[in-house]
Amino acid sequence: MRIEYPKLGILLLLSMVLSCQGSKKMVDNDAVDSLETIQREFKAAEDYEIFARNLESRISDYKGSRTRDFDLLHTALDLSFDYKNEWVKGEAVLTLKPHFFSQYELVLDAQDFDIHEFSLLEDKGETPLNYRYETQKIVAFLPKVYEATDTLTVKIKYTAKPNESPGGGSAAITDTKGLYFINASGNENKPVQIWTQGETEHNSKWFPTLDTPNEKATQEIRLTVDQKYRTISNGVLKSKIQNGDGTRTDHWVMDLPHSPYLAAVVIGEFAEIVDKWEDTQVNYYVEKEFEEGAKKVFQNTPEMIAFFSEILGVKYPWQKYDQVVVRDFVSGAMENTTLSVFMEALNLDAREAIDSEWDGIIAHELFHQWFGNYVTTESWANLALNEAFANYSEYLWYEYKEGRDDADLHHVSEMEVYLDESTEKQVDLIRFYHEDSEEMFDSHSYAKGGRILHMLRRHLGDEAFFKSLNHYLVQHAFSTVEVHDLRLAFEKVTGQDLNWFFNQWFLNAGHPILEYVVDYSQPENLLLTITQTQDLKKTPLYKIPFKVSWYQEGERQEKEFVLDKKKQQFAIENQTPVKTLFFDEAKELLSEKKSARGKAHFITQFGISELGIARYEALDSLGSNYAEAEDLAKTFGAALQDPFWSIREMALMQIAKHPEWQMEIIGLEARLLEMAENDPKNTVKSAAIEVLAALDPDKYSPSFLRWMQAPSYYVAGAALSAYLENENNLNRREISERFEQEKNVRMLVALAEYYIEDSVDLKGDWFHEKLLNLSGQSLYYFLGYFGDYFSSMPSEGTADAIEKLYAIGSKEKENYVRVAAFQSLFGFIDEPGVLAKTMELFQNEKDELAKRYMEFYLTPYLDEKLNP
């Protein structure tokens, strides 16, 4: 029903009132009251219409799981590849059955195909089917009505054209082609490869399927390739057949069901590093030059599989586990079943791998083999059921392998990632309202989701948490789930009603903002007052279990309370007098906290806390807020002895900034030398070298020469930089040229900085050569030096440098690299045409975050143009 009639009545009444006014000199009060009433009714009717339309939108915009008309049982693909056109030539045989209701049409996802044949396979042979195709879906008209007890098999011959409609994607997955030809012509300075990336619903760019996460099917894929190439896919390689024409057909069989988006193929020239866990194949595939590095980068994988299998109580569920590093990947990594694909940043040589810091992403993709592949979200609205667990696996691994301090630092870092995103948007974690499934790949689904799991674990305890995960995995093995399945698993195991927790954290947006004050007037019974100050019109009033802690004669004491009011006071009843109380000392709560702690509090916190993350917070707060205080040298000097490497590193960074502290710290030089020589963490060694360079560069130059030969690039790069910064070293030019063939960016930056600071000429070709061979984070770090050199040395070829920066700003896939190139162009902003180039980059940029950064840099020039 639509509310139309009251509007017509109101308009008629209004016209009558207005016409009467013409014959009266004054309007009596009753008439005024009637007019105001009419206006209120009109506004109410309008508001009701808006309200009704909003309700209609809630129905139409809801993004639930896809209706399952058919169950996909098995997919068999026979594929070959046209490198010239970058096409896939395929034959697909799909076995399906109606899910429940009778069906007379079969609808398949198939994006940008040429369909050559669509037929029904029966015992009597093939029957061609009539079908309708409009570039995204095939609708086949079946010869009879099929019931839930029937099974049908169809065959489709097709050519897939993944480049036909490029674009889209998200910050996490930057493109949606599904299948990618890398250097198909063989003319670029990179290997020839083919690889796939199917999440969210992009595998239907290279084979016809029911491209939805709430399907599960077995599969087999035959790949016909040039015999020089290796193929890698899901499941087990059953056979290799030489075809006698220079090609080979590999037959891969996946006999356990998984979702279509997890199907994958990789083709190229790769070295194979053979490893195993128990009797399970665990192999790594990289380009030949990175073979030795891969042994180091991926070496912990078997131990990770053992660890995750043990804590979950579910043995690794698949036939094998392969990991492959490819070029130009459109994401960080992808957890295809039995085959994780990683970005090229994991291509490290043996020396670079010494400082490999990729265990987090390796653990993340591996954990997906349970959470995401074995048990899969039924809809992208429930993506956190995949990604929150994978994100939290990083904490679990670091806690097990490196210790709680490392894990807690990672936890806080991820919390800050979410909180940063929350300044721009706050949305439900389980999100049934989104325009595009790619939007779900954000810091809510990942970082916030992981922090929520951490809070749930700390609240319930390890035994209950991991037993609940085991129940969840066993109960839903090889099937799909929604968030309520996770809640019910926890409730089944613990016997607790956890609706309150899931409603406020998974099904609502935002996070608590907590202001707290400690009353120390009664030292034997401290009072803690906490106020929730978040906007309650948009954000829940939270029920929050939390912990307070204090130290008594060196022993840590802890109590747990529950905050469930807007403002609440808690009597700690500590009995023994306490001077310093800690609220959430372990940083377990996902929240913003505000309190009036001062310098003395943080000095005490650093001195007595047994938790590395609390000492880290104290030192960070002292360095950020009280760095000019005269009495902090002792505290930062003591931090050089801290068992947590990150605190030692932070202390070194602060000491480098404060020469006055350096004079006060007793035995500083001896300690710095000891750290530079022997600290177990290479980042700490490099920081110690930087402080020694500031203290006495002449005295330590012989040591710098020795350290620049260190195996670690962190150490060698710091030593090279320290040596080249010292003008008293007269052989700097000779030393720099000795390292010019290095490829690692830490060495390159040291050289680049020297060439810029000393205006060393004839190094333009060197800068161009290095730029050409860098990518990802290395390219990002180098771009600023590249721009600075040519802007300060125009005789080296400014025009060519501008064109290189413009090309990177236009074409590079990583948004942060494009922004770095854009920024570097501002060193040439007064050159003819450069402002126009920056404007063009800004106008063509699709990524909103990158565009905001660009706008910030452009604003002064736009203002100047508008207001000369």
Side-chain angles (χ1 to χ4, degrees):
M1 180 185 294
R2 291 181 66 84
I3 311 299
E4 296 288 352
Y5 301 112
K7 289 185 179 179
L8 179 60
I10 288 168
L11 290 173
L12 289 171
L13 285 168
L14 280 170
S15 65
M16 291 172 60
V17 170
L18 293 172
S19 64
C20 290
Q21 286 181 350
S23 60
K24 290 186 177 182
K25 293 183 179 179
M26 297 182 65
V27 179
D28 61 30
N29 288 336
D30 288 343
V32 172
D33 290 344
S34 299
L35 180 59
E36 290 175 351
T37 301
I38 290 166
Q39 289 172 333
R40 281 197 302 271
E41 290 177 353
F42 185 86
K43 182 67 166 62
E46 252 192 339
D47 290 345
Y48 192 81
E49 277 290 293
I50 294 170
F51 178 69
R53 285 197 294 272
N54 287 338
L55 291 178
E56 291 170 355
S57 295
R58 296 293 285 178
I59 295 173
S60 62
D61 295 345
Y62 179 82
K63 299 288 195 309
S65 57
R66 189 190 295 194
T67 299
R68 297 181 65 190
D69 295 322
F70 279 90
D71 292 340
L72 179 63
L73 304 177
H74 185 72
T75 299
L77 302 176
D78 197 334
L79 307 177
S80 60
F81 303 91
D82 180 341
Y83 283 80
K84 180 180 179 181
N85 292 303
E86 300 189 11
W87 292 346
V88 180
K89 297 179 179 179
E91 179 178 290
V93 177
L94 309 183
T95 304
L96 313 98
K97 64 181 289 297
H99 183 77
F100 182 83
F101 294 105
S102 304
Q103 302 294 334
Y104 58 90
E105 289 182 350
L106 171 62
V107 181
L108 297 174
D109 298 295
Q111 303 181 56
D112 304 310
F113 286 13
D114 286 343
I115 306 296
H116 308 305
E117 178 186 313
F118 200 130
S119 57
L120 180 69
L121 300 185
E122 301 175 290
D123 292 339
K124 61 184 180 181
E126 293 186 32
T127 303
L129 294 177
N130 292 322
Y131 62 89
R132 182 177 70 250
Y133 181 56
E134 296 177 353
T135 76
Q136 301 299 298
K137 293 182 182 293
I138 314 171
V139 181
F141 305 103
L142 302 176
K144 67 173 188 176
V145 174
Y146 281 79
E147 307 294 342
T149 54
D150 296 326
T151 299
L152 69 153
T153 302
V154 296
K155 182 173 79 173
I156 306 104
K157 288 187 176 180
Y158 65 94
T159 299
K161 301 177 178 180
N163 293 336
E164 197 81 358
S165 301
S170 64
I173 305 168
T174 58
D175 197 274
T176 59
K177 291 181 184 178
L179 183 142
Y180 297 78
F181 288 82
I182 305 303
N183 189 22
S185 66
N187 296 327
E188 300 177 59
N189 184 30
K190 63 180 70 173
V192 176
Q193 295 176 350
I194 294 174
W195 46 260
T196 61
Q197 200 299 111
E199 194 174 32
T200 51
E201 297 173 4
H202 311 316
N203 270 345
S204 51
K205 290 280 284 187
W206 58 280
F207 68 94
T209 187
L210 298 175
D211 206 350
T212 173
N214 63 339
E215 278 294 339
K216 293 272 187 175
T218 55
Q219 74 181 45
E220 56 187 305
I221 303 178
R222 289 176 170 85
L223 298 167
T224 299
V225 298
D226 189 300
Q227 60 188 6
K228 70 180 178 181
Y229 293 134
R230 183 187 296 275
T231 71
I232 313 162
S233 189
N234 314 98
V236 177
L237 180 59
K238 287 292 187 180
S239 67
K240 295 182 176 184
I241 298 174
Q242 299 292 336
N243 297 320
D245 61 354
T247 67
R248 185 188 73 253
T249 299
D250 293 349
H251 183 198
W252 290 87
V253 175
M254 181 66 189
D255 58 5
L256 296 171
H258 69 156
S259 295
Y261 79 91
L262 296 166
V265 299
V266 178
I267 299 167
E269 295 181 87
F270 297 100
E272 179 183 61
I273 297 94
V274 176
D275 207 343
K276 68 175 185 176
W277 170 70
E278 295 185 350
D279 294 327
T280 302
Q281 171 187 310
V282 181
N283 288 358
Y284 325 123
Y285 298 90
V286 295
E287 295 163 38
K288 182 66 178 176
E289 68 177 292
F290 304 112
E291 182 175 3
E292 291 304 312
K295 294 176 183 178
K296 172 74 173 175
V297 171
F298 293 105
Q299 67 178 352
N300 289 329
T301 306
E303 188 178 358
M304 287 182 187
I305 296 175
F307 169 62
F308 290 147
S309 295
E310 181 179 354
I311 64 168
L312 296 172
V314 175
K315 188 176 180 180
Y316 178 78
W318 307 104
Q319 306 94 322
K320 51 95 171 168
Y321 188 55
D322 291 336
Q323 296 171 105
V324 57
V325 182
V326 301
R327 293 295 187 101
D328 298 345
F329 199 52
V330 292
S331 185
M334 177 61 202
E335 68 276 8
N336 313 294
T337 313
T338 77
L339 166 59
S340 287
V341 179
F342 295 87
M343 60 184 174
E344 66 190 82
L346 277 74
N347 270 335
L348 304 179
D349 63 30
R351 188 178 176 190
E352 289 173 322
I354 292 170
D355 295 318
S356 173
E357 297 175 337
W358 295 112
D359 265 15
I361 194 172
I362 292 168
H364 182 114
E365 305 310 323
L366 173 60
F367 211 61
H368 269 308
Q369 301 298 321
W370 287 270
F371 294 90
N373 300 8
Y374 188 58
V375 176
T376 308
T377 177
E378 70 173 18
S379 69
W380 300 117
N382 284 274
L383 178 67
L385 297 180
N386 292 4
E387 295 301 346
F389 278 103
N391 179 278
Y392 192 52
S393 75
E394 300 167 33
Y395 182 96
L396 295 174
W397 173 251
Y398 288 132
E399 182 183 35
Y400 162 79
K401 188 66 174 176
E402 306 295 340
R404 180 172 177 177
D405 288 347
D406 278 71
D408 283 345
L409 182 63
H410 178 75
H411 161 71
V412 170
S413 174
E414 288 293 295
M415 191 186 304
E416 289 173 351
V417 167
Y418 157 71
L419 290 173
D420 181 64
E421 183 176 88
S422 74
T423 62
E424 298 292 333
K425 70 173 184 180
Q426 293 187 17
V427 291
D428 297 350
L429 196 66
I430 304 301
R431 216 171 311 160
F432 291 102
Y433 296 94
H434 55 268
E435 290 187 12
D436 190 316
S437 58
E438 303 299 321
E439 293 176 14
M440 295 297 300
F441 292 83
D442 59 12
S443 293
H444 283 66
S445 296
Y446 288 71
K448 183 180 183 181
R451 312 294 56 78
I452 290 169
L453 294 174
H454 187 60
M455 288 189 294
L456 187 58
R457 176 190 173 192
R458 293 304 190 213
H459 172 58
L460 296 175
D462 280 8
E463 184 178 2
F465 182 78
F466 290 112
K467 190 171 182 180
S468 298
L469 296 190
N470 173 268
H471 179 74
Y472 172 77
L473 290 170
V474 171
Q475 186 79 10
H476 302 290
F478 300 109
S479 65
T480 60
V481 289
E482 60 182 345
V483 70
H484 303 297
D485 295 309
L486 181 64
R487 174 180 57 81
L488 291 171
F490 274 93
E491 292 184 344
K492 177 73 173 177
V493 169
T494 65
Q496 298 182 15
D497 186 320
L498 291 170
N499 263 303
W500 63 272
F501 185 91
F502 279 77
N503 285 345
Q504 69 187 20
W505 287 115
F506 284 94
L507 299 172
N508 266 298
H511 56 268
I513 301 174
L514 307 177
E515 294 185 3
Y516 67 95
V517 176
V518 181
D519 182 351
Y520 290 97
S521 61
Q522 297 183 45
E524 297 83 7
N525 185 18
L526 304 183
L527 294 178
L528 172 66
T529 303
I530 307 175
T531 306
Q532 299 192 44
T533 64
Q534 66 273 12
D535 184 353
L536 298 181
K537 294 177 181 178
K538 301 177 181 178
T539 310
L541 180 70
Y542 287 87
K543 177 181 177 181
I544 305 173
F546 68 91
K547 301 180 181 76
V548 297
S549 53
W550 64 93
Y551 289 82
Q552 183 177 322
E553 297 181 355
E555 294 293 323
R556 187 173 184 273
Q557 311 295 320
E558 184 177 86
K559 279 191 175 183
E560 185 165 359
F561 299 89
V562 176
L563 172 70
D564 56 11
K565 295 180 174 58
K566 186 178 188 302
K567 185 174 183 179
Q568 203 164 349
Q569 191 172 74
F570 302 89
I572 307 304
E573 297 180 345
N574 43 287
Q575 297 182 348
T576 303
V578 170
K579 294 182 179 179
T580 305
L581 185 75
F582 301 110
F583 168 55
D584 190 30
E585 183 186 8
K587 307 293 173 285
E588 293 170 0
L589 301 181
L590 175 57
S591 63
E592 294 179 61
K593 302 190 199 74
K594 299 177 181 180
S595 65
R597 296 173 294 172
K599 183 182 70 171
H601 175 96
F602 289 119
I603 290 174
T604 300
Q605 179 173 321
F606 177 77
I608 68 175
S609 179
E610 67 182 39
L611 303 182
I613 194 62
R615 298 196 306 278
Y616 182 93
E617 179 203 33
L619 204 67
D620 184 47
S621 297
L622 290 169
S624 300
N625 302 321
Y626 305 99
E628 303 310 314
E630 297 178 356
D631 56 348
L632 289 183
K634 183 178 178 181
T635 300
F636 280 88
L640 297 177
Q641 306 288 344
D642 198 276
F644 187 18
W645 65 268
S646 189
I647 290 175
R648 299 195 303 275
E649 186 177 296
M650 186 194 301
L652 287 165
M653 293 169 63
Q654 287 292 340
I655 290 168
K657 297 176 183 177
H658 294 277
E660 70 277 11
W661 295 356
Q662 297 166 17
M663 303 297 294
E664 296 180 39
I665 299 174
I666 298 172
L668 176 62
E669 281 196 52
R671 176 58 184 149
L672 291 174
L673 188 59
E674 169 65 20
M675 295 172 82
E677 293 280 15
N678 300 315
D679 197 279
K681 195 74 173 180
N682 287 326
T683 55
V684 176
K685 284 183 176 181
S686 65
I689 290 169
E690 291 175 13
V691 181
L692 287 171
L695 276 174
D696 196 336
D698 293 333
K699 179 180 178 180
Y700 293 104
S701 281
S703 296
F704 299 152
L705 281 170
R706 178 166 52 85
W707 290 328
M708 66 179 70
Q709 304 297 330
S712 165
Y713 276 119
Y714 281 115
V715 178
L720 179 60
S721 181
Y723 191 87
L724 295 178
E725 285 174 1
N726 185 2
E727 295 180 358
N728 294 329
N729 293 326
L730 301 180
N731 61 341
R732 289 185 299 159
R733 187 70 175 262
E734 175 195 339
I735 293 296
S736 68
E737 291 176 352
R738 189 185 301 173
F739 290 95
E740 282 192 336
Q741 299 310 310
E742 287 283 356
K743 297 178 181 179
N744 185 272
V745 73
R746 297 185 184 280
M747 306 297 279
L748 300 183
V749 162
L751 297 176
E753 192 165 25
Y754 163 59
Y755 293 151
I756 294 165
E757 291 299 318
D758 277 47
S759 300
V760 179
D761 59 2
L762 303 178
K763 295 300 177 184
D765 289 344
W766 180 86
F767 273 93
H768 283 296
E769 176 197 342
K770 298 306 175 185
L771 188 78
L772 180 65
N773 291 299
L774 294 174
S775 61
Q777 292 182 7
S778 295
L779 177 58
Y780 168 80
Y781 288 126
F782 192 70
L783 276 168
Y785 294 95
F786 179 87
D788 285 350
Y789 181 78
F790 288 101
S791 62
S792 63
M793 303 280 286
S795 62
E796 293 292 323
T798 295
D800 195 14
I802 291 170
E803 289 305 316
K804 291 272 180 66
L805 292 170
Y806 173 73
I808 292 170
S810 302
K811 300 174 183 177
E812 191 66 28
K813 62 185 178 68
E814 291 99 344
N815 61 353
Y816 64 94
V817 176
R818 295 196 302 274
V819 169
F822 175 88
Q823 289 173 318
S824 293
L825 280 170
F826 278 80
F828 310 92
I829 201 68
D830 294 328
E831 296 288 330
V834 173
L835 181 58
K837 288 181 182 295
T838 61
M839 287 291 297
E840 185 180 339
L841 291 177
F842 171 72
Q843 290 163 357
N844 293 336
E845 179 58 55
K846 305 298 183 188
D847 183 88
E848 285 301 318
L849 182 60
K851 196 152 190 168
R852 283 202 300 275
Y853 278 112
M854 291 179 176
E855 186 175 23
F856 174 79
Y857 279 90
L858 269 178
T859 298
Y861 298 92
L862 295 174
D863 291 344
E864 184 178 322
K865 201 169 184 180
L866 294 171
N867 304 295

